[in-house]
Amino acid sequence: MANLNLTRRSFVQLAAATVAAVGVIATSESAALAQLPAVEGKANGDVKVVRSCCRACGKNECGVYVTVKDGRAIKIEGDADTAFHSMGNCCAKSQSSLQAAYHPDRLYHPMKRTNPKGESDPGWVRITWDEAYSTIAEKFWELKNKFGGESMFFMGGTSRIWTQHAYAAWPQLVDSPNALTAWQICKGPRHYMGELQSEFAYSWMATTDRPRVFVPWGTATEISNYDESCRTTVDLVNTADTYINVDPRMTNLNHEADIHMFLKPGTDGALALSWANVIIENDLYDSLFVKRWTDAPFLVVEGMDPSGGVPIWHKIGWTEGKPMANTLLKECDLKEDGSPMRYMVWDELAGTDDAHPLHSNDPSGHLTYFDAETGLWEGEADEVWDQFYENPQPNLPKLTVPGRVAVPTPFNPEIDPALYGEFEVELASGKKCKMAPVWQHWAERCAQFEPKKAAEITGIAAENIEHAAKVWATRIDPSTGYGNGGLQYGLAPEHACNAIQNNRIFDILVGMTGNWDTPAGNRGPTAGLFLGLDDAQPTIASGHAPEDGDMSYFHDKILGCEKMPMLSWWQQWADANTVAEAALTGDPYPVRGGLCEASGFMNQGNSIKYWEALNSLDFFVVQDLWKTPTAGAADILLPVYHWLEVDCPRLSQGSTGAQGATCRAIEPPADCRFDVQIVVDVYKAMGIPFADTPEEWGLPAGVQWPTYEQLFDRVLLPMGMNWKDYRDAFQEHGWWDCREIAPETWGTYRRYETGMCSSEDIVGTTPAGNPMRGMSTPTRKMEIWSTVIETYMPGADMELPNWKPAPETELAQPGISKEWPFLMTTGRRIPVYFHSEHRQLPWCRELWPAPRCEINPADAAELGIEQGDWVWIESPRAKVRQVADLYYGIEQGVINCEHQWWFPELDQADKGYALSTINCLVEGTNQDPLCGASNLRAYNVKVYKATPENSPFGNPCPCGEDGTEIIHDASDPRLKAWLPDYSKREEA
């Protein structure tokens, strides 16, 4: 395929030429074709091949070809021709999509409940879409009028395609602040951290740049993840000079690691702080970045009342939040007419200067400032930085372009902001105070976790901690001007009550070592040519706002903000645990209804509590492919499209830099609908425009309830294209490298130097970016000292990142191991599953028929447990059963359990979730104090063998309510009943 050097104009010209070429072979508006060689010797007359983007795991956007014969998909294979980001990968989950699309148990029609909630059989009966929509509209209006829009919550998950309207479009419909999303415990905390500390979602590592030192931390991307997976990750291991893996257990790939750090589950933050200590003590940090682009030299004043007065802006609706209040020294603290946006630093280069109003008579230096309002240091000229060099990174994959790296900006006029020292200052009030740079406070915090101390916490030898930190931070090739690569950190650090602080430490580590928005560093979400450079999620939000334009209800009504005040600032989710409490108790206000798109109640906290909460609702809607446990609590079920049936423009979610599309390969069943269209249809049923001002929102005049094609046209407006033309261009060209087609926003590294770091969602604006250089924080710096946290949680001692042990562990509760001897981790990726999905797909289930509990053979022998035995895992809340998997790759005293298991084969509403779902054991109120992420792993439990005497039905194997055993063996004949049923689908 041609590697085209595309501008926006040439992209449109290419599209025009492509439409003419592709139009010859296209057979319908809804099925885009690729002119490829005949497949397996078949004539092109009855076989077509569609280039698309796989969504079987909802994460990596692997490029695929789908072969369709006589209207049926018969094969899925990787696109090795143009999908540089996935390199032709096509995993078992992707290939088994053939079984999902034609599954006999798939939902094909809207359904309604006829039996009371709580009964094993919901009594589903088929209804029409008109009845479904009118019922939803009636019930939503009823709840809003009686209790207010806040009485409804909206759940969103992942996979398929855009099942994420719970993040905005659904809450906007009824003016509810309560989005209950998997994001709260899945990558959301790091995005929250980025918005708080540096830049939204700049946590992704640019793996296609091939880091010289590859550091996956608490993740196994060789199986599945956003930031590349499978073949791409294996290539990283093979091309890296050094492979350092941080994980409590051995995985299929990390046994190849040059350095493996077996840390105790939940101690990630302590280890990361120890790395920071080693880097600081050995002067391995990037001094210019630290001084110029972080708030490290800003001065913390001891004993000063927090000052500021400048409002902090909320993300949703850009509403004004609390006035900033922090103890960083500002010009307004020194004189009455001083600016609250000018942050003071101590310049060590200059001596006395009586003519300057801020200069002292101290020969060691004087005060100067950075002005966050202008983005300039004192005396600095306002100019666009235009010095670049080509990305020198070795081992770049085929089909990629290098991009350019901004040369670091020196201080001009030259200053040297102090990072250490104690200084005295006289405030405007006449009060004299001591002050010291943020960096000194940070260094002191890191010193509390020096390697010997961290060794006691993490279980890793001090010399190994020090060695790993030095290997990662010592530049292999200093001539590049940046570090060896970023950190590819996973979900594990987010689930032990330190989510935000752990992620803050990672972000600072990346920044201080010169790996922030640099080649192979942590860059942020791919920026392409779509509307909104942060991601290709074109229908998450609607164009509808409250009639009075007042978005303030998000501030004080979002559930969980009383316990976690920072949620009022973040506003992207309501706390799931508080939503469940409000549904069960009516406190702080009643929650009586909701809707769920492709999500499971099992993912957020204690599953038993959430199941009870869902069943307590007056009205609940679920849209999905299957009758899941969540569906078992619904009043209305809505059938949706599978990814093989979907059209949608697509950007890679991580830092891959790929732009492409998901393209419909097969026609959807007649009675199923696209999630995107469903949300618009419900708006229409309620008489609420999806777009209040269509033309201003990028839609044709008068179109208040657009089709999903029109929404995609809107997304492509900046490119001057419509969806059909774009789809056809993608079929011809394949995936585009955004370094090439978006050179200013993605093809440029160190975008904080150029003013293109973050973006604005403005139709037709090019380029979109920051109005000035720097980052999108109140100080325009990476905030090691967080002004937002200090404003919203004064006195909480959280301004600097810290680490505390998870509540139900030996480190927090000495002696807990006597009754609960095993420290449990969970949540690992399974090659054939994605979280709770695919349990009913024969190819997947026969490979992994039952949930497993990894336990060290020495521990198992002591407990009388053998390979394949069913074992009980118990906490003070509940107990569940999983199969013992004896594994030397897990440390003694630690077990690894699997999450979110349910059993589609059981004919009961809850699908047996409580038999094996590990989240039944969770203590739901142990949460991260800033974002509410639950303590899903790193807590102590007990393990013992399941026997006929201690098991229901006298059977160690989990059974349904009627005694039916779950499928736990690949030879189970029930797997054959799940094989594709083409006639059922085609008759639907």
Side-chain angles (χ1 to χ4, degrees):
M1 298 290 180
N3 187 13
L4 301 179
N5 184 16
L6 292 180
T7 63
R8 292 172 187 266
R9 178 172 296 179
S10 62
F11 195 107
V12 174
Q13 292 171 343
L14 165 71
T18 303
V19 170
V22 177
V24 176
I25 59 171
T27 60
S28 75
E29 286 279 318
S30 58
L33 314 182
Q35 183 79 47
L36 297 175
V39 179
E40 297 180 351
K42 302 293 184 180
N44 277 344
D46 61 356
V47 174
K48 68 179 182 181
V49 180
V50 180
R51 176 179 275 129
S52 193
C53 165
C54 179
R55 292 290 292 169
C57 78
K59 297 299 174 194
N60 194 46
E61 289 75 53
C62 290
V64 294
Y65 292 125
V66 182
T67 302
V68 181
K69 185 177 187 298
D70 297 329
R72 294 176 180 174
I74 60 171
K75 183 168 67 172
I76 302 172
E77 56 192 325
D79 176 357
D81 299 316
T82 71
F84 62 90
H85 57 302
S86 53
M87 303 178 65
N89 178 69
C90 185
C91 73
K93 295 183 287 293
S94 181
Q95 295 176 53
S96 66
S97 294
L98 297 173
Q99 295 184 327
Y102 300 101
H103 200 286
D105 287 349
R106 182 178 166 183
L107 283 172
Y108 287 108
H109 308 282
M111 313 283 282
K112 72 175 181 180
R113 169 186 295 275
T114 59
N115 290 335
K117 292 185 181 181
E119 291 194 9
S120 182
D121 177 14
W124 298 117
V125 297
R126 177 177 173 177
I127 58 175
T128 65
W129 277 100
D130 286 344
E131 182 180 351
Y133 285 150
S134 63
T135 302
I136 294 169
E138 176 187 348
K139 293 294 186 180
F140 278 13
W141 274 122
E142 180 182 313
L143 291 174
K144 182 175 181 179
N145 292 334
K146 186 174 181 179
F147 300 107
E150 65 271 21
S151 67
M152 286 176 274
F153 68 90
F154 298 91
M155 295 172 63
T158 52
S159 198
R160 290 203 310 277
I161 188 68
W162 288 128
T163 56
Q164 298 182 350
H165 301 101
Y167 294 77
W170 284 120
Q172 286 174 299
L173 173 66
V174 297
D175 297 345
S176 171
N178 295 319
L180 198 164
T181 69
W183 207 30
Q184 186 178 2
I185 47 88
C186 181
K187 303 286 186 179
R190 70 199 51 208
H191 296 161
Y192 176 126
M193 173 280 300
E195 185 83 1
L196 174 74
Q197 177 166 290
S198 53
E199 202 65 65
F200 179 77
Y202 271 50
S203 55
W204 310 121
M205 190 178 78
T207 49
T208 48
D209 287 334
R210 298 295 189 264
R212 301 295 298 271
V213 179
F214 178 41
V215 187
W217 191 310
T219 187
T221 58
E222 68 272 18
I223 296 175
S224 175
N225 216 320
Y226 296 91
D227 4 31
E228 281 65 69
S229 64
C230 305
R231 179 179 170 184
T232 306
T233 295
V234 174
D235 259 34
L236 293 182
V237 171
N238 291 331
T239 59
D241 294 65
T242 306
Y243 169 28
I244 302 173
N245 191 277
V246 184
D247 202 300
R249 58 183 293 276
M250 187 73 75
T251 70
N252 290 335
L253 188 62
N254 69 23
H255 71 277
E256 299 289 341
D258 299 292
I259 302 172
H260 190 164
M261 314 205 81
F262 280 107
L263 80 170
K264 292 179 183 177
T267 63
D268 305 84
L271 178 61
L273 284 165
S274 192
W275 275 30
N277 172 253
V278 172
I279 291 164
I280 291 169
E281 291 298 313
N282 290 275
D283 292 324
L284 295 175
Y285 57 90
D286 186 322
S287 178
L288 182 58
F289 180 89
V290 166
K291 291 180 177 181
R292 186 167 176 81
W293 298 109
T294 80
D295 66 358
F298 292 6
L299 296 162
V300 181
V301 182
E302 183 180 336
M304 182 179 76
D305 292 332
S307 65
V310 177
I312 295 174
W313 291 88
H314 294 306
K315 187 164 185 177
I316 293 181
W318 294 105
T319 52
E320 190 173 302
K322 286 189 175 184
M324 187 188 302
N326 62 74
T327 51
L328 299 178
L329 185 66
K330 296 167 288 297
E331 190 183 55
C332 64
D333 300 316
L334 299 173
K335 56 181 184 176
E336 290 185 2
D337 60 346
S339 169
M341 299 294 283
R342 289 181 174 178
Y343 290 86
M344 312 309 298
V345 304
W346 188 263
D347 178 12
E348 294 188 310
L349 285 185
T352 61
D353 182 357
D354 293 336
H356 194 290
L358 295 177
H359 291 185
S360 68
N361 292 318
D362 189 335
S364 67
H366 63 220
L367 289 170
T368 185
Y369 62 78
F370 170 77
D371 192 333
E373 187 172 17
T374 64
L376 302 172
W377 292 85
E378 183 182 15
E380 187 174 44
D382 188 2
E383 57 187 5
V384 177
W385 191 243
D386 59 358
Q387 297 185 36
F388 305 94
Y389 59 98
E390 186 174 280
N391 173 12
Q393 199 71 4
N395 303 315
L396 291 176
K398 295 178 181 179
L399 305 176
T400 63
V401 297
R404 62 180 187 171
V405 186
V407 175
T409 312
F411 284 104
N412 184 22
E414 188 176 4
I415 63 171
D416 186 18
L419 295 179
Y420 295 94
E422 290 186 352
F423 312 99
E424 186 174 85
V425 63
E426 183 174 333
L427 303 178
S429 64
K431 183 179 181 180
K432 292 184 178 181
C433 298
K434 297 290 185 181
M435 60 185 182
V438 166
W439 185 259
Q440 179 162 305
H441 288 274
W442 169 240
E444 291 170 356
R445 171 62 49 82
C446 296
Q448 297 172 12
F449 296 87
E450 53 84 26
K452 287 185 179 179
K453 178 63 176 177
E456 299 173 5
I457 297 169
T458 65
I460 304 170
E463 57 270 24
N464 293 344
I465 294 174
E466 183 172 357
H467 174 61
K470 287 180 177 178
V471 169
W472 177 61
T474 303
R475 295 182 181 181
I476 294 172
D477 182 3
S479 71
T480 65
Y482 53 83
N484 298 325
L487 297 173
Q488 191 186 56
Y489 47 103
L491 298 187
E494 298 179 350
H495 295 165
C497 301
N498 293 288
I500 301 302
Q501 299 291 45
N502 284 350
N503 288 329
R504 288 185 67 199
I505 301 164
F506 293 142
D507 192 48
I508 296 168
L509 277 172
V510 168
M512 63 191 276
T513 53
N515 289 299
W516 202 89
D517 199 31
T518 55
N522 292 71
R523 296 208 67 202
T526 296
L529 297 182
F530 295 158
L531 167 65
L533 303 178
D534 57 344
D535 206 346
Q537 302 193 15
T539 64
I540 277 185
S542 74
H544 169 68
E547 289 185 10
D548 58 3
D550 182 13
M551 303 287 285
S552 62
Y553 60 87
F554 280 94
H555 303 171
D556 54 8
K557 286 191 176 181
I558 190 166
L559 285 169
C561 69
E562 292 184 2
K563 180 180 179 181
M564 290 153 280
M566 287 287 292
L567 290 183
S568 292
W569 163 81
W570 173 236
Q571 301 183 357
Q572 297 290 287
W573 57 67
D575 173 49
N577 186 63
T578 309
V579 170
E581 287 283 352
L584 291 169
T585 68
D587 184 35
Y589 54 76
V591 167
R592 303 311 314 145
L595 180 144
C596 174
E597 286 187 327
S599 184
F601 65 87
M602 300 179 288
N603 64 11
Q604 290 283 49
N606 187 282
S607 301
I608 296 172
K609 177 179 180 179
Y610 291 173
W611 173 249
E612 293 173 355
L614 291 182
N615 279 279
S616 73
L617 299 174
D618 297 337
F619 185 67
F620 186 50
V621 182
V622 170
Q623 51 192 72
D624 212 319
L625 290 164
W626 320 101
K627 292 177 182 175
T628 63
T630 308
D635 296 282
I636 297 285
L637 297 184
L638 303 178
V640 296
Y641 289 179
H642 184 266
W643 73 263
L644 287 170
E645 302 152 4
V646 163
D647 279 328
C648 189
R650 195 77 189 106
L651 287 179
S652 53
Q653 289 187 74
S655 292
T656 304
Q659 178 173 313
T662 297
C663 295
R664 179 179 292 177
I666 57 176
E667 291 299 315
D671 219 16
C672 293
R673 295 195 180 176
F674 191 8
D675 306 79
V676 179
Q677 197 65 57
I678 292 172
V679 68
V680 176
D681 290 347
V682 173
Y683 267 77
K684 188 173 184 179
M686 293 184 68
I688 298 174
F690 191 79
D692 293 333
T693 54
E695 291 175 285
E696 292 180 15
W697 210 60
L699 292 171
V703 177
Q704 293 182 316
W705 297 289
T707 65
Y708 69 82
E709 291 95 344
Q710 288 173 321
L711 286 171
F712 296 159
D713 290 347
R714 171 183 175 267
V715 172
L716 299 166
L717 273 177
M719 300 171 58
M721 300 184 74
N722 61 33
W723 164 243
K724 181 182 182 301
D725 291 345
Y726 178 83
R727 179 195 63 195
D728 292 344
F730 173 67
Q731 291 301 307
E732 177 69 13
H733 179 273
W735 292 84
W736 289 275
D737 185 346
C738 292
R739 297 171 189 82
E740 188 170 26
I741 63 174
E744 291 180 316
T745 55
W746 191 248
T748 298
Y749 297 87
R750 291 197 181 110
R751 287 165 290 174
Y752 50 86
E753 295 278 9
T754 67
M756 296 300 295
C757 203
S758 67
S759 64
E760 297 174 2
D761 293 345
I762 302 175
V763 177
T765 299
T766 178
N770 277 342
M772 64 188 80
R773 297 160 72 186
M775 303 168 193
S776 296
T777 61
T779 61
R780 304 205 67 79
K781 304 296 182 187
M782 177 182 283
E783 293 197 357
I784 298 173
W785 183 280
S786 174
T787 58
V788 181
I789 294 177
E790 188 173 18
T791 297
Y792 275 81
M793 300 183 69
D797 191 29
M798 293 186 184
E799 300 87 356
L800 286 175
N802 202 355
W803 175 86
K804 294 181 180 179
E808 293 186 340
T809 63
E810 191 68 29
L811 290 168
Q813 293 188 45
I816 193 174
S817 298
K818 292 180 180 179
E819 183 174 1
W820 311 98
F822 288 93
L823 180 58
M824 187 191 70
T825 188
T826 184
R828 66 164 168 162
R829 296 293 177 265
I830 300 172
V832 296
Y833 297 127
F834 176 64
H835 294 309
S836 64
E837 293 195 76
H838 311 322
R839 307 285 194 236
Q840 63 277 82
L841 303 186
W843 286 344
C844 298
R845 193 70 181 274
E846 69 179 356
L847 289 171
W848 206 288
R852 305 178 187 178
C853 168
E854 289 180 340
I855 185 170
N856 188 283
D859 288 329
E862 189 173 323
L863 295 170
I865 295 170
E866 298 181 357
Q867 177 69 23
D869 284 346
W870 285 96
V871 297
W872 289 102
I873 306 102
E874 183 176 347
S875 80
R877 271 74 58 187
K879 59 182 181 180
V880 298
R881 279 168 288 176
Q882 298 191 2
V883 172
D885 190 4
L886 276 57
Y887 184 46
Y888 282 109
I890 194 86
E891 299 278 88
Q892 284 187 251
V894 177
I895 61 169
N896 173 48
C897 297
E898 292 176 5
H899 67 302
Q900 297 192 12
W901 267 86
W902 60 287
F903 303 102
E905 62 270 26
L906 297 182
D907 187 18
Q908 58 192 66
D910 67 4
K911 296 299 180 181
Y913 82 88
L915 298 173
S916 296
T917 294
I918 207 66
N919 279 13
C920 293
L921 311 189
V922 167
E923 201 293 306
T925 61
N926 288 337
Q927 298 175 273
D928 180 276
L930 296 171
C931 74
S934 297
N935 188 185
L936 300 180
R937 53 182 124 192
Y939 56 92
N940 276 47
V941 297
K942 64 176 66 171
V943 180
Y944 51 97
K945 184 175 179 178
T947 66
E949 292 74 27
N950 66 19
S951 302
F953 301 102
N955 186 354
C957 175
C959 300
E961 294 172 350
D962 60 1
T964 301
E965 285 190 355
I966 65 164
I967 294 173
H968 56 94
D969 187 277
S971 65
D972 195 305
R974 287 175 288 180
L975 292 173
K976 292 184 178 180
W978 283 339
L979 290 172
D981 186 336
Y982 297 99
S983 61
K984 184 173 182 179
R985 171 195 170 92
E986 289 160 4
E987 292 168 0

